[in-house]
Amino acid sequence: MSFFGKILGTSQDSHLPIEEISADLENLPNEWGSFSTLIDGRMASIRLNLALDSVAPYPSYTYALRLKIAILNVDPETGFPDYDEFSNLNLIEDRLSEAMKRIAAIYVGVVITDGHIEFYYYLKNREKHMPVIAQVMEQFSKYQYSSATLVDPDWKQYFDFLYPNEYEYQSILNQRIWYRLEKDGDDHSQLREITHKFSFETYEDRVSFMGDVSALDYDVSSKKKKEGDPRPYKLKIARFDTTELPSINQHVWELIEISKKYNGKYSGWSCNVV
């Protein structure tokens, strides 16, 4: 659960004049990714700026903000907005992002779950966002919203709640490869040889891993030793599979789990377009 879940208060929006704050946010690293997960047992979609992982926390941005908006038309099975409402939510996101730049807010991610969309920012000041949000949401008067801020100098909201775990992060990478294949016209339902890469600390670990994956019908494509590498024992294995995303995710997660038994590191997969 997000630790915002313990905060029930709704901010009282002020209509004081908005103070413009000059800040250069153009040099922020920018690499957005999305993944599916469960939050409190409910389906959730998280999209965030993964690249902030390498630079956060910013010392002057000590306040985390969550803006929570109730979705009007909800799919009862998923808790997500129906297709027609996505355009409205995208417009709200664009307007908010543009307005929040006026107070030098850092937009870090968005969560959709349980009939709500939640936007997450980091702020220098605990109060200046309130009139900004109020002015934007006046344009979307049908939507009910609430906001909450908390002191978060270590950016735990970003790292501990929004940021993907090892398997969720790999699903983002899998999705990127899938989209490249899609763009090139791949028929994802067709079987083709898919190669997976690993590295290990010891020769014995690699041999043990090879024994486990051979039982899953993977063949060894290549193996070599790279001197000076902390995991010098490299391995490529291959098997005929489809590139349908659910099956790719399942296969990759299974291989990661097995490699971790032998202190291995998974390095990704590749295949030809079919």
Side-chain angles (χ1 to χ4, degrees), residues 23-70:
D24 179 15
L25 301 180
E26 297 302 321
N27 294 322
L28 285 178
N30 190 43
E31 181 196 352
W32 288 76
S34 60
F35 62 97
S36 298
T37 187
L38 293 176
I39 298 177
D40 296 335
R42 299 180 179 90
M43 294 177 60
S45 173
I46 297 179
R47 176 165 49 87
L48 77 159
N49 186 351
L50 296 161
L52 294 174
D53 172 53
S54 63
V55 293
Y58 288 95
S60 60
Y61 284 82
T62 57
Y63 296 101
L65 163 68
R66 181 196 66 186
L67 173 61
K68 185 175 183 179
I69 302 174

Side-chain angles (χ1 to χ4, degrees), residues 144-186:
Q144 296 182 348
Y145 71 96
S146 63
S147 65
T149 58
L150 55 80
V151 178
D152 185 19
D154 297 325
W155 284 42
K156 291 183 178 180
Q157 185 67 26
Y158 174 80
F159 288 109
D160 296 347
F161 174 58
L162 292 173
Y163 204 82
N165 62 33
E166 179 181 6
Y167 298 95
E168 293 164 343
Y169 186 81
Q170 185 59 52
S171 73
I172 294 173
L173 302 182
N174 294 343
Q175 188 178 64
R176 290 175 180 174
I177 298 173
W178 186 93
Y179 277 125
R180 288 201 298 270
L181 292 169
E182 176 80 2
K183 185 177 180 180
D184 291 337
D186 187 67

